[in-house]
Amino acid sequence: MSKHIHLEARPADSSRRAFCVQACQAASCVALAALADACGGGGTGPSNVPQLSTVNGTVSGSTVQVQIDSASPLAAVGGAALVRSSAGVFLVARTGDASFTALTSTCTHEECAITGFDGGDYVCPCHGSRFTTSGRVVNGPASAPLRMFNASFSNNVLTIG
Ligand code: FES
């Protein structure tokens, strides 16, 4: 008997799920179309932008520490990475032998997580804003710079914050 009820319930469940999937797909299509329109020619969401590698950071007091060894994407000057930690995610670039920049990875436009790095600039996946490794806006739609944190380097350990 319970089997009978189960069989009746199942089509309703799966059609509801199917409806949700379709609705979500339609919504994202509409959202993407709206974004493409809103951005015009200058700020469409980028495609084929190289993605940053991820490095884990460890929270120590009020700072985040990152060990940088020879295999790290931050081993060479010009390298950049996303540093993930329980205190947040940072965009980190090596700008000199012992100099680094550390920025928030949250875009100042609509708070997407920035994950792209192209031609020495960070690129937001949502609407294509570009920022220098110092956080300055190169291309909008974002107009405000990315927040910068202190970054110091010693004994192969980068300390953020
Ligand atoms: S959220 Fe729009 S460009 Fe980053």
Side-chain angles (χ1 to χ4, degrees), residues 21-141:
V21 169
Q22 280 176 358
C24 294
Q25 284 170 345
S28 63
C29 283
V30 167
L32 285 175
L35 293 176
D37 282 352
C39 291
T44 48
S47 57
N48 299 325
V49 172
Q51 298 295 292
L52 288 159
S53 310
T54 299
V55 170
N56 289 322
T58 309
V59 174
S60 172
S62 60
T63 67
V64 173
Q65 299 197 326
V66 187
Q67 183 79 40
I68 298 178
D69 59 24
S70 58
S72 169
L74 296 167
V77 174
L82 274 176
V83 171
R84 289 192 192 282
S85 76
S86 57
V89 182
F90 304 89
L91 297 166
V92 174
R94 187 165 197 159
T95 54
D97 278 343
S99 54
F100 290 78
T101 56
L103 309 170
T104 176
S105 64
T106 304
C107 184
T108 54
H109 178 227
E110 290 181 357
E111 303 191 348
C112 284
I114 296 170
T115 54
F117 189 63
D118 181 38
D121 294 330
Y122 296 119
V123 184
C124 180
C126 288
H127 318 105
S129 289
R130 297 176 81 99
F131 301 86
T132 67
T133 53
S134 308
R136 188 174 57 81
V137 176
V138 178
N139 280 135

